[in-house]
Amino acid sequence: MTEPRPLDRLRQDARDELAALIELRCRLGEDPWVFLPELPSVDEQVVATLREDRLQDGGWAVQRARAYHPTARPGDVERFEFELLRGIALEHPELSQAAWSMLDRVPSAW
């Protein structure tokens, strides 16, 4: 299991990542007025990073596979994502608002 990183470091990494993405998209000729509103906030990017870390490190990968399996019951995806994001919000209360805002972007079951 990886060592937890301090929130300040996670936020700085997220800022760097978003800055690199903005620069790339501008260099590719995209209009920042068009794509900037669809980018995540710094805290949302941190939550996304923590989500990916959890999927890589813990038993969440098996649960994710079950939730996203074609034979999964309706609502399994939403329940899985809720529990995953809830854990992040409980562990990092400063990120609660960002974690809950990401629930709106959870893909619905197929």
Side-chain angles (χ1 to χ4, degrees), residues 17-66:
E17 200 171 318
L18 289 169
L21 180 60
I22 290 167
E23 180 180 353
L24 173 66
R25 290 182 73 170
C26 286
R27 286 178 184 258
L28 292 173
E30 292 186 51
D31 184 356
W33 288 102
V34 174
F35 72 80
L36 282 176
E38 63 192 40
L39 290 180
S41 70
V42 170
D43 280 353
E44 289 171 340
Q45 185 65 33
V46 170
V47 170
T49 299
L50 291 171
R51 180 185 176 281
E52 285 302 313
D53 289 349
R54 284 176 183 239
L55 288 174
Q56 298 300 318
D57 287 345
W60 289 99
V62 172
Q63 292 177 25
R64 183 184 190 282
R66 287 185 183 137

Side-chain angles (χ1 to χ4, degrees), residues 48-110:
T49 299
L50 291 171
R51 180 185 176 281
E52 285 302 313
D53 289 349
R54 284 176 183 239
L55 288 174
Q56 298 300 318
D57 287 345
W60 289 99
V62 172
Q63 292 177 25
R64 183 184 190 282
R66 287 185 183 137
Y68 280 88
H69 193 274
T71 60
R73 290 175 290 184
D76 281 356
V77 170
E78 291 83 359
R79 276 188 290 281
F80 167 78
E81 294 293 342
F82 174 83
E83 288 301 322
L84 187 59
L85 293 172
R86 179 179 172 268
I88 292 169
L90 289 172
E91 188 176 320
H92 301 280
E94 308 93 334
L95 299 174
S96 292
Q97 185 175 0
W100 297 131
S101 74
M102 292 180 71
L103 277 176
D104 293 339
R105 292 185 223 123
V106 171
S108 59
W110 316 13

